[in-house]
């Protein structure tokens, strides 16, 4: 067996051990070493050279990047997630004929969709979605993300929140928590326009706070313009334009003179 | 550039072209071979006088001949046009199927005036390749067509003459087309990118235009919208040379923008593509209309009934018509039924994901209807009317209503403690300055239109010139007709 491949396999075994121990710092360290080693394989994207070890190399590399993606979620690092996912993506898109599909493929793709949703990158969300074949949409993980997007768009926010209890994969919890925050901001924005006032207990329930203090703090930080009095939250409405009683004389005169001038030119 | 040296040689053989054309007009229906020979002389004239216009005319004439091409004609033409000892002749003839060659003998006795052309011009060689390629595609000999196209592309890379560009861009099209039919588009992507770079370096704008479209088509075939958009936004842009290519570009652009949720821009591109496409390009216009309908629905507009009743499109647009109806009524149940009923059509059109996005619009329309008809309605009733299916429909309805209020779709307030929605009185619009502003903008539009029309008017200086321009107009009309036919032909291929 190729010595480089042996080295990577051994290092990866150590990485997995650390990963199982949940020793994230060691994992991150080993991962960067692994990534450097991977650059020496000519069979990996983008060159895709046909080497005798291509299948093993590709499979190992894909496995490493899959772990990298999940690790970035554990470390709650969204930038690293994006980087690792971009490196992983060619293995899913362009290696179909060479290595068998990975069982982790759909959970990770679904995770990426969820990330785009959390970051409110809806255009990219749909671009990614178009890449998926029809049968992928049946997959539980992908479906989860797609339904979330729909509920989010419709405004059925409590459906988004109940979806948190039904996550298809444990890694999804991190993004679901972030999503809850995005949803809260959305709800606050909608309530402001939709209601004249809300009682404190209703508002607390609607914004998913467990205590009045949390609600007060949220209002103070995010929406200082709201009024809290008599046990209710009053939203400041933008005053609607009053029907105009006066005729704006000057503009009307200029307009009419303009018409007269133009008409004269025609006739 | 050795070819350029060759091009500058004085060449007296250019003269026979018009004479031959006149003779052909007088003769009884001339044979296909004779037509081909005429086309060859047009190309020769174009090549020698460096007139790109003539070469494009030759390509158009070829398309008109396409249905009548027989193996005998093609091989006889190759023998006529290419030096028998040349490498190109050997390569092309071995690709052609061997058939009885009796027709050729008939041609030899045909009353045609002898057309002779100078052999060895690269334009003629490339034209022969194009002819063989088209013929092979029509005969469904895709493997031969592929090898012919690949070899010709390799040859094209060694040429750098502006007169070849027109032929080259057609070749690129068929090169990509034959790979599309055989479902191997991904293989040629690198090659197309290379050709696009070459065309850019040669300032071959027609080639760039064609190749950019082929690349976009290539990416979109695999739903690679991200790559397509990256290429499109970075590729050099210039004024369109060919109307067909511009239509295609607009269509692809519209598709990309639709996926990326830029509906307003997408609508503009798609409608423009549909308008610019010639009447004959039915398949293309149907595609544009389908996408435009969905985009308009996504924008919250309801396309007029006339859109669905356009000539020749009624059948194809029926699924979209029913879909529009469901959105218009705002009935989720009906929408679901339509989506299921035509699921196969929608997935064949690859619009399925867009239709999933429409669900949200259906709810909005339903909600707007409710808000208009009731001044006060309970949230439970809203949930029932919208037929929301979920664990807690009332809470769903409440948040849906509040989002609709925020997005400005309806004008209402929610009373949480009583659980109802109160629609606001629509104010009397005539008490505001709104009508005055609308009136003003319409008058401004009309006056502007009048002024533009006056500016655009041209008067013939004298009657002599007028006669000439009438002739010119006839010629132009004829050319336009040819173009339209040509476009129709292409679009038969496309869809």
């Amino acid at each position: 067996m190729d010595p480089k491949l042996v080295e990577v396999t051994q290092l990866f075994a150590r990485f997995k051990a650390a990963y199982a121990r949940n020793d994230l710092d060691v994992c991150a360290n080993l991962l960067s070493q692994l990534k450097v080693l991977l650059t020496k394989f000519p069979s990996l994207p983008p060159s895709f050279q046909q080497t005798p070890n291509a299948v093993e190399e590709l499979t190992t590399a894909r496995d490493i990047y899959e772990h990298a993606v999940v690790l970035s979620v554990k470390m709650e690092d969204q930038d690293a997630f994006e980087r690792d996912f971009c490196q992983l993506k060619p293995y899913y898109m362009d290696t179909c004929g060479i290595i068998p599909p990975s069982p982790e493929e759909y959970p990770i793709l679904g995770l990426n969709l969820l990330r785009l949703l959390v970051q409110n990158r809806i255009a990219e969300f749909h671009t990614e979605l178009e890449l998926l074949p029809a049968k992928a949409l049946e997959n539980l993980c992908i479906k989860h993300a797609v339904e979330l997007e729909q509920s989010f768009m419709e405004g059925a926010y409590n459906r988004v929140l109940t979806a948190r209890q039904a996550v298809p994969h444990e890694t999804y919890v991190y993004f679901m928590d972030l999503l809850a925050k995005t949803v809260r901001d959305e709800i606050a924005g909608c309530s402001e326009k939709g209601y004249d006032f809300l009682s404190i207990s209703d508002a607390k329930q609607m914004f998913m706070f467990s205590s009045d203090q949390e609600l007060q703090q949220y209002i103070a930080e995010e929406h200082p313009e709201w009024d809290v009095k008599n046990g209710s939250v009053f939203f400041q409405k933008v005053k609607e334009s009053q029907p105009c009683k006066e005729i704006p004389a000057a503009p009307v005169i200029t307009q009419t003179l303009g018409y007269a001038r133009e008409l004269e030119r025609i006739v | 550039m050795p070819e350029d040296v060759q091009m500058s040689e004085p060449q007296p053989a250019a003269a026979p072209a018009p004479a031959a054309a006149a003779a052909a007009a007088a003769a009884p229906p001339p044979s296909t071979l004779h037509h081909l020979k005429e086309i060859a002389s047009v190309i020769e004239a174009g090549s020698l006088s460096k007139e790109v216009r003539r070469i494009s005319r030759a390509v158009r004439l070829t398309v008109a001949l396409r249905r009548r091409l027989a193996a005998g004609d093609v091989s006889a033409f190759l023998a006529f046009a290419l030096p028998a000892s040349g490498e190109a002749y050997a390569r092309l003839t071995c690709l052609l199927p061997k058939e009885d060659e009796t027709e050729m003998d008939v041609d030899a006795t045909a009353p045609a005036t002898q057309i002779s052309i100078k052999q060895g011009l690269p334009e003629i060689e490339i034209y022969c390749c194009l002819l063989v390629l088209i013929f092979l595609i029509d005969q469904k000999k895709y493997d031969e067509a592929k090898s012919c196209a690949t070899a010709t592309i390799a040859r094209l890379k060694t040429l750098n003459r502006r007169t070849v560009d027109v032929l080259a861009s057609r070749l690129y099209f068929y090169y990509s087309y034959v790979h599309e039919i055989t479902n191997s588009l991904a293989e040629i992507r690198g090659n197309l990118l290379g050709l696009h770079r070459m065309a850019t370096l040669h300032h071959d704008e027609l080639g760039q235009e064609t190749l950019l479209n082929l690349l976009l088509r290539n990416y979109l075939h695999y739903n690679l919208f991200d790559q397509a958009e990256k290429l499109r936004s970075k590729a050099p842009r210039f004024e369109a040379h060919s109307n067909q290519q511009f239509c295609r570009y607009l269509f692809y652009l519209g598709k990309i923008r639709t996926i990326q949720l830029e509906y307003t821009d997408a609508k503009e591109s798609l409608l423009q593509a549909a308008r610019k496409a010639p009447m004959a390009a039915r398949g293309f216009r149907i595609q544009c209309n389908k996408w435009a309908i969905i985009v308009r629905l996504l924008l919250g507009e309801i396309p007029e009934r006339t859109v669905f009743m356009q000539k020749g499109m009624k059948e194809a647009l029926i699924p979209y018509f029913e879909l529009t109806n469901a959105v218009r009524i705002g009935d989720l149940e009906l929408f679901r039924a339509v989506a299921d009923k035509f699921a196969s059509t929608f997935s064949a059109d690859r619009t399925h994901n867009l239709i999933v996005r429409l669900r949200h619009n259906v709810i909005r329309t339903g909600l707007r209807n409710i808000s208009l008809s009731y001044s006060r309605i309970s949230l439970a009733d809203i949930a029932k009317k919208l037929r929301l299916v979920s664990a807690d429909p009332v809470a769903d309805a409440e948040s849906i209503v509040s989002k609709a209020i925020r997005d400005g779709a309806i004008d209402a307030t929610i009373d949480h403690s009583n659980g109802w929605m109160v629609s606001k009185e629509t104010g009397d619009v005539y008490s505001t300055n709104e009508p005055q502003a609308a009136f003003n903008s319409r008058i401004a539009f009309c006056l502007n239109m009048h002024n533009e029309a006056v500016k655009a008017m041209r008067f013939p200086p004298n009657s002599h010139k007028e006669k000439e321009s009438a002739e010119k107009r006839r010629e132009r009309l004829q050319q336009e007709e040819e173009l339209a036919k040509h476009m129709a032909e292409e679009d038969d291929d496309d869809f």
Side-chain angles (χ1 to χ4, degrees):
Chain A
M1 210 158 135
D2 185 37
K4 274 191 286 183
L5 191 58
V6 174
E7 193 186 348
V8 167
T9 326
Q10 282 170 353
L11 204 57
F12 189 41
R14 280 173 58 201
F15 170 86
K16 274 193 199 161
Y19 184 81
R21 287 199 310 275
N22 234 347
D23 193 345
L24 299 183
D25 290 333
V26 178
C27 280
N29 190 7
L30 287 171
L31 185 65
S32 46
Q33 291 179 39
L34 278 169
K35 282 185 185 168
V36 173
L37 287 175
L38 283 181
T39 55
K40 292 175 187 154
F41 292 142
S43 64
L44 302 187
S47 40
F48 283 119
Q49 278 177 30
Q50 298 282 344
T51 53
N53 290 329
V55 174
E56 287 99 50
E57 285 172 8
L58 282 170
T59 322
T60 317
R62 186 177 65 185
D63 206 7
I64 291 174
Y65 282 122
E66 279 174 352
H67 277 85
V69 167
V70 179
L71 182 70
S72 69
V73 176
K74 284 195 173 182
M75 295 174 69
E76 309 196 343
D77 184 347
Q78 294 188 34
D79 294 336
F81 181 96
E82 187 167 0
R83 271 198 308 276
D84 291 327
F85 181 78
C86 286
Q87 280 177 304
L88 179 60
K89 212 170 143 193
Y91 293 90
Y92 291 148
M93 309 306 298
D94 303 326
T95 58
C96 306
I98 313 172
I99 49 175
S102 151
E104 290 298 306
E105 180 167 345
Y106 290 145
I108 289 191
L109 288 176
L111 200 58
N112 183 48
L113 289 175
L114 195 58
R115 172 184 69 93
L116 292 171
L117 197 60
V118 169
Q119 299 176 340
N120 214 358
R121 288 152 73 173
I122 305 294
E124 280 167 76
F125 178 92
H126 283 289
T127 314
E128 290 289 323
L129 198 59
E130 287 296 318
L131 286 173
L132 300 174
K135 79 173 195 308
L137 298 177
E138 303 291 312
N139 183 286
L140 204 62
C141 298
I142 307 283
K143 216 171 168 184
H144 180 75
V146 172
E147 281 174 2
L148 273 182
E149 194 265 350
Q150 263 188 33
S151 312
F152 199 76
M153 276 308 172
E154 276 165 29
Y157 295 122
N158 55 334
R159 245 185 277 158
V160 177
L161 297 172
T162 44
R164 191 186 177 286
Q165 272 89 56
V167 284
H169 203 267
E170 80 268 35
T171 46
Y172 281 46
V173 173
Y174 166 61
F175 284 120
M176 290 305 289
D177 286 343
L178 289 178
L179 196 61
K181 170 134 190 13
T182 320
V183 166
R184 179 179 299 150
D185 290 340
E186 283 284 309
I187 294 179
C190 292
S191 312
E192 195 176 29
K193 296 277 174 350
Y195 302 91
D196 291 329
F197 65 90
L198 271 178
S199 73
I200 292 217
S201 57
D202 289 335
K204 193 172 69 183
Q205 192 195 351
M206 210 174 272
F207 295 163
M208 303 158 290
F209 287 116
S210 46
S211 71
D212 290 4
Q213 280 75 33
E214 278 178 314
L215 177 67
Q216 303 261 0
Q217 197 188 348
Y218 176 76
I219 293 177
E221 279 171 15
E222 305 280 334
H223 298 280
E225 72 278 11
W226 296 356
D227 253 354
V228 186
K229 58 185 178 193
N230 309 335
S232 296
V233 183
F234 287 89
F235 304 104
Q236 297 291 312
K237 291 263 170 178
V238 185
K239 288 287 158 251
E240 259 139 72
S241 56
Q242 289 296 312
C244 151
K245 295 279 186 286
E246 284 172 35
I247 293 170
V252 173
I253 292 171
T254 19
Q255 275 172 16
T256 320
L257 284 175
Y259 302 153
R261 199 172 50 242
E262 292 284 342
L263 271 177
E264 204 155 54
R265 243 198 287 176
I266 294 172
V267 179
Chain B
M1 286 187 276
E3 281 82 12
D4 283 9
V5 179
Q6 195 185 5
M7 239 165 88
S8 56
E9 279 170 23
Q11 192 43 254
S31 70
T32 314
L33 180 60
H34 183 75
H35 275 302
L36 285 175
K37 286 182 180 176
E38 268 172 42
I39 294 173
S41 65
V42 171
I43 293 179
E44 188 191 29
S47 158
L48 298 171
S49 59
K50 296 188 198 165
E51 278 188 273
V52 177
R53 181 178 57 84
R54 294 197 190 210
I55 308 245
S56 27
R57 187 172 157 74
V59 174
R60 280 206 299 279
L61 290 171
T62 314
V63 173
L65 276 183
R66 188 169 166 184
R67 303 239 183 274
R68 290 191 277 139
L69 280 182
D73 296 324
V74 178
S75 54
F77 177 69
L78 290 184
F80 161 77
L82 293 174
S85 54
E87 179 261 341
Y89 179 72
R91 181 163 52 77
L92 291 176
T93 39
C94 75
L95 287 171
L96 287 175
K98 293 279 165 284
E99 275 176 33
D100 59 317
E101 304 197 350
T102 43
E103 268 182 89
M104 236 180 86
D105 301 330
V106 179
D107 282 333
T109 58
T113 27
Q114 278 307 305
I115 304 171
S116 65
I117 56 161
K118 180 176 176 285
Q119 293 193 325
L121 280 177
E123 283 84 359
I124 298 285
E125 182 191 331
I126 299 297
Y127 176 73
C128 290
C129 296
L130 178 63
L131 190 71
V132 171
L133 179 58
I134 295 177
F135 175 73
L136 288 172
I137 290 176
D138 285 346
Q139 300 290 313
K140 304 204 168 23
K141 293 185 188 306
Y142 298 127
D143 289 332
E144 284 92 338
K146 256 193 208 177
S147 65
C148 171
T150 315
T152 317
I153 296 286
R155 169 85 178 103
L156 273 174
K157 284 184 178 166
T158 65
L159 292 172
N160 182 12
R161 322 176 43 144
R162 297 292 68 79
T163 38
V164 175
D165 289 347
V166 180
L167 296 170
S169 69
R170 300 304 304 154
L171 263 168
Y172 301 146
F173 173 79
Y174 287 110
Y175 173 60
S176 165
Y177 177 59
V178 71
H179 281 87
E180 186 172 332
I181 300 178
T182 52
N183 207 8
S184 50
L185 270 181
E187 291 166 20
I188 59 165
R189 201 179 295 149
N191 217 342
L192 288 177
L193 283 166
L195 288 168
H196 185 262
R197 188 175 55 224
M198 193 183 80
T200 312
L201 291 176
H202 288 177
H203 297 290
D204 167 12
E205 294 193 344
L206 185 65
Q208 285 180 53
E209 218 170 56
T210 315
L211 286 163
L212 179 63
N213 279 339
L214 292 176
L215 279 164
L216 289 181
R217 186 178 182 83
N218 198 317
Y219 284 130
L220 296 192
H221 186 83
Y222 297 97
N223 281 346
L224 296 167
F225 287 93
D226 198 24
Q227 279 95 324
E229 171 58 19
K230 279 182 180 140
L231 173 73
R232 189 203 64 77
S233 56
K234 290 180 177 64
R237 291 292 307 143
F238 35 79
E239 205 162 313
H241 283 256
S242 139
N243 183 46
Q244 298 98 299
Q245 296 300 345
F246 190 53
C247 286
R248 288 206 179 93
Y249 176 79
L250 285 172
F251 176 57
Y252 299 143
L253 179 62
K255 270 179 144 180
I256 295 174
R257 283 176 167 166
T258 311
I259 296 301
Q260 305 200 330
L261 294 106
E262 297 168 30
Y263 299 135
T264 319
D265 296 338
K267 179 185 143 197
E268 205 174 294
S269 321
L270 289 168
L271 288 181
Q272 207 185 347
R275 258 201 313 269
K276 273 185 176 281
M279 287 311 279
R282 188 170 143 269
F284 180 80
R285 290 197 303 134
I286 289 177
Q287 285 291 325
C288 286
N289 273 305
K290 282 179 180 173
W291 278 76
I293 289 166
I294 293 188
V295 169
R296 292 181 67 180
L297 288 177
L298 283 168
L299 273 171
E301 296 173 21
I302 303 294
E304 313 77 45
R305 191 170 274 263
T306 47
V307 170
F308 303 96
M309 298 300 156
Q310 293 178 73
K311 206 165 141 266
M313 293 191 197
K314 219 169 149 185
E315 279 303 292
L317 293 181
I318 284 178
Y320 293 85
F321 178 67
E322 294 199 12
L323 195 70
T324 309
N325 205 25
V327 177
R328 189 177 59 86
I329 301 172
D331 184 341
L332 265 187
E333 209 58 48
L334 181 63
F335 174 72
R336 231 170 271 151
V338 173
D340 285 344
K341 184 173 162 198
F342 296 108
S344 57
T345 321
F346 294 143
S347 54
D349 289 343
R350 301 208 218 172
T351 47
H352 178 260
N353 282 340
L354 296 176
I355 288 170
V356 172
R357 288 189 209 173
L358 268 178
R359 192 186 126 85
H360 156 68
N361 290 59
V362 180
I363 295 180
R364 275 286 158 84
T365 327
L367 199 55
R368 202 176 303 142
N369 290 343
I370 292 174
S371 144
L372 286 177
S373 0
Y374 296 86
S375 59
R376 195 176 73 192
I377 181 168
S378 78
L379 292 168
D381 285 341
I382 294 181
K384 214 185 290 166
K385 281 186 183 295
L386 291 177
R387 303 198 214 188
L388 296 174
V389 188
S390 70
D392 188 358
V394 178
D396 271 2
E398 186 168 353
S399 51
I400 289 174
V401 169
S402 72
K403 187 158 196 266
I405 295 173
R406 189 196 56 174
D407 296 350
I410 54 174
D411 199 8
T413 48
I414 309 170
D415 190 333
H416 185 79
S417 45
N418 292 317
W420 60 48
M421 174 181 95
V422 184
S423 304
K424 279 188 196 150
E425 292 283 313
T426 37
D428 180 12
V429 78
Y430 286 98
S431 67
T432 64
N433 283 326
E434 208 67 13
Q436 171 71 24
F439 179 64
N440 182 43
S441 73
R442 285 178 201 185
I443 291 199
F445 176 79
C446 291
L447 290 173
N448 198 26
M449 169 98 92
H450 176 264
N451 289 343
E452 295 276 313
V454 170
K455 269 188 227 159
M457 267 196 260
R458 290 280 178 278
F459 301 97
N462 55 48
S463 58
H464 167 68
K465 285 248 173 85
E466 187 185 26
K467 196 177 159 203
E468 201 175 50
S469 81
E471 247 169 46
K472 266 189 191 154
R473 199 177 63 224
R474 212 167 29 244
E475 195 178 301
R476 187 171 50 83
L477 284 177
Q478 190 195 342
Q479 286 211 348
E480 267 168 17
E481 204 172 300
E482 260 177 31
L483 267 173
K485 269 189 206 156
H486 175 61
M487 178 97 180
E489 194 84 17
E490 277 180 0
D491 287 305
D492 283 349
D493 296 349
D494 277 11
F495 302 106

